[in-house]
């Protein structure tokens, strides 16, 4: 699958976001032409995007019944949590070691967005949380880690959206970013790693109870 093709990447990102945010709910039958029209992409590009999304576990391809949005189950949460608890603390450690002025400016801007946002706006809080984790991935300067976490964060977001109406603790979770930022500013890799581990574990525990 060639995601270097601009049209294919556009189709992929469009459909992926719809699946992650549950605009395309689990079990939905996927229509190539309808999604090509909606995303202003070619049908061939959408078809290629489906192949990549199937590889990521977001789409299921059945020979007799077509293409469906993959279902969600609790096992997904448990397995994603195990991997994120390993990789995200490592990401925070590397970010503390490698963060430059541009990376820091992005983190500060996200902090300002968090302070300006309505704490009751769960969708906004979730978006800021996701952007913060993406910013740390960039600051870690490891393309292989970035590929792994991009995939894992996308799958995790879909689970968060399932529980979104009940995620009344998101403002507190996002506020924990400040502690991680302080560790990064101090170049304290051990502390950044420890705080991120606690942050991810606490978030997963809360969502586990909701699901």
């Amino acid at each position: 699958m060639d995601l270097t093709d601009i049209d294919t990447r556009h189709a992929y990102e469009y459909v992926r976001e719809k699946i992650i945010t549950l605009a395309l709910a689990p079990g939905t039958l996927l229509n190539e032409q309808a999604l090509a029209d909606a995303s202003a992409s070619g049908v061939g590009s959408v078809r290629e995007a489906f192949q990549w999304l199937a590889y990521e576990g977001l789409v299921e391809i059945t020979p007799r019944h077509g293409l469906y949005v993959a279902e969600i189950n609790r096992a997904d949460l448990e397995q994603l949590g195990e991997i994120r608890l390993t990789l995200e603390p490592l990401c925070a450690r590397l970010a503390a070691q490698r963060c430059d002025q541009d990376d820091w400016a992005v983190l500060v801007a996200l902090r300002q967005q968090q302070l300006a946002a309505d704490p009751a706006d769960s969708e906004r809080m979730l978006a800021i949380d996701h952007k913060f984790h993406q910013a740390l991935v960039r600051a870690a300067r490891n393309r292989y880690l970035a590929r792994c976490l991009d995939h894992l964060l996308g799958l995790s977001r879909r689970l968060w959206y399932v529980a979104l109406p009940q995620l009344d603790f998101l403002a507190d979770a996002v506020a924990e970013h400040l502690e991680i930022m302080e560790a990064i500013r101090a170049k304290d890799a051990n502390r950044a790693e420890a705080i991120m581990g606690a942050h991810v574990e606490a978030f997963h525990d809360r969502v586990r109870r909701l699901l």
Side-chain angles (χ1 to χ4, degrees), residues 70-157:
E71 297 290 346
I72 295 174
N73 57 66
R74 179 163 176 166
D76 294 333
L77 177 66
E78 301 298 336
Q79 293 177 30
L80 285 167
E82 290 173 353
I83 301 301
R84 286 189 65 188
L85 277 170
T86 298
L87 295 185
E88 291 214 62
L90 171 62
C91 181
R93 164 176 283 277
L94 295 177
Q97 295 169 341
R98 301 171 180 175
C99 181
D100 62 21
Q101 290 183 346
D102 291 338
D103 297 321
W104 182 251
V106 172
L107 293 173
V108 170
L110 288 171
R111 175 62 178 167
Q112 293 302 314
Q113 288 181 30
Q114 183 257 320
L115 291 173
D118 179 357
D121 187 346
S122 295
E123 189 163 2
R124 178 64 175 153
M125 287 289 122
L126 186 61
I128 293 171
D129 180 78
H130 180 60
K131 288 179 181 178
F132 180 83
H133 286 265
Q134 286 181 312
L136 290 187
V137 170
R138 287 191 293 272
R141 301 282 189 280
N142 185 309
R143 61 175 176 167
Y144 300 105
L145 179 61
R147 289 176 186 175
C148 291
L149 283 175
D150 179 64
H151 177 50
L152 293 172
L153 290 171
L155 294 174
S156 295
R157 279 178 66 216

